[in-house]
Amino acid sequence: MVNLHPLSSFHDNSSARERAVIVALRKKGISRREVAESLDELEGLVKAAGGVVVARVVQERESPDPAYYIGRGKVHEIRGIVEEARVEMVVFDDALRAVQQRNLEEKLSVKILDRTRLIMDIFAQRARTNEGKIQVELAQLQYMLTRLVGRGRELSRLGGGIGTRGPGEKQLEVDRRKILRRIRKLKNDLEKIRQRRSQHRKRRLSEMLSFALVGYTNSGKSTLLRALTHSDV
């Protein structure tokens, strides 16, 4: 099943946004409504990342295809949409195996992302603190470590944009040992930040009285705190 968004709805305002096709499998035991709701959420994530969805593709299968996740016929169908609508990425609602991602990139010649990679890209866009940026890059590198083999040439061809923020192409093109060294450095940097924060917290706590209120949800913690402190918490 393919749902195409009307081209007139994004021609005027999406020239700067990457065009995407979103794809889901409806497996046994999953209702059409559940699939639709999940794709609604995925479309929201694409928009949050700065893209625009031009088509939705749903295939009913007992289980994912080992090589392409979706069937080969559906891959051919998506390729037609990619060429007709000038699509720049295809986003899958489920996690893809490394081999599935590489095979799809070869067949479709566009970026292939799954939900996890898309979410990490959104975090990369929004990270502001040094600690946040380190955490995002660390997560991305660990996620992509198993996807490094044979990826440098493909990513160079596919270019930048959504799904390539954070460590980006340059990090992906280096060898595994350099990636592992980078991960170790990021972990050390993160630990130093946490130690500094802990020291600052201890200094602050040594200068003021501290206490804790513990209780179940809706047990009256906020009510008690307001009564004790005469403040609006």
Side-chain angles (χ1 to χ4, degrees), residues 1-199:
M1 181 179 69
V2 178
N3 290 332
L4 287 169
H5 289 251
L7 294 180
S8 59
S9 68
F10 60 84
H11 267 174
D12 294 334
N13 60 10
S14 67
S15 57
R17 293 187 288 167
E18 292 182 70
R19 302 183 184 200
V21 173
I22 56 178
V23 183
L25 276 188
R26 181 179 171 234
K27 300 169 218 173
K28 187 176 181 179
I30 300 177
S31 68
R32 288 186 174 88
R33 178 181 174 182
E34 288 175 305
V35 173
E37 288 175 349
S38 188
L39 283 178
D40 286 342
E41 185 179 73
L42 187 63
E43 181 167 353
L45 291 171
V46 171
K47 290 178 181 177
V52 57
V53 172
V54 302
R56 295 179 172 206
V57 177
V58 177
Q59 183 176 41
E60 297 188 9
R61 285 181 64 97
E62 289 287 328
S63 60
D65 181 81
Y68 294 98
Y69 184 76
I70 52 177
R72 287 165 174 77
K74 192 63 71 173
V75 173
H76 181 74
E77 187 177 344
I78 292 173
R79 183 174 180 84
I81 299 171
V82 165
E83 294 172 350
E84 181 182 353
R86 304 190 305 278
V87 167
E88 293 150 295
M89 62 180 173
V90 179
V91 185
F92 286 77
D93 199 25
D94 289 330
L96 294 174
R97 294 166 52 206
V99 65
Q100 292 168 335
Q101 187 170 347
R102 287 197 296 271
N103 290 341
L104 287 164
E105 283 171 349
E106 286 180 5
K107 290 291 185 181
L108 300 176
S109 299
V110 294
K111 284 182 296 188
I112 304 297
L113 307 179
D114 58 19
R115 180 184 279 257
T116 303
R117 179 71 181 275
L118 180 62
I119 290 171
M120 286 194 292
D121 183 85
I122 294 170
F123 276 117
Q125 290 185 53
R126 286 157 173 70
R128 294 292 179 265
T129 66
N130 188 39
E131 182 180 10
K133 291 175 182 177
I134 290 173
Q135 287 174 326
V136 171
E137 183 178 356
L138 183 60
Q140 288 177 312
L141 288 172
Q142 290 172 327
Y143 170 81
M144 291 184 274
L145 190 59
T146 59
R147 291 163 163 79
L148 288 174
V149 180
R151 295 293 308 283
R153 183 177 63 257
E154 295 164 7
L155 284 165
S156 177
R157 184 184 73 244
L158 297 173
I162 297 172
T164 60
R165 295 180 181 90
E169 294 174 40
K170 184 161 58 176
Q171 287 291 345
L172 288 173
E173 290 168 356
V174 300
D175 62 32
R176 183 177 296 272
R177 284 175 299 187
K178 289 183 179 179
I179 291 290
L180 290 171
R181 281 201 297 269
R182 178 64 177 165
I183 287 175
R184 285 195 294 270
K185 182 182 184 305
L186 289 171
K187 286 183 176 179
N188 288 335
D189 291 345
L190 199 56
E191 183 58 31
K192 289 176 183 176
I193 291 173
R194 288 170 175 167
Q195 288 176 358
R196 284 198 299 269
R197 191 196 306 121
S198 177
Q199 291 169 356

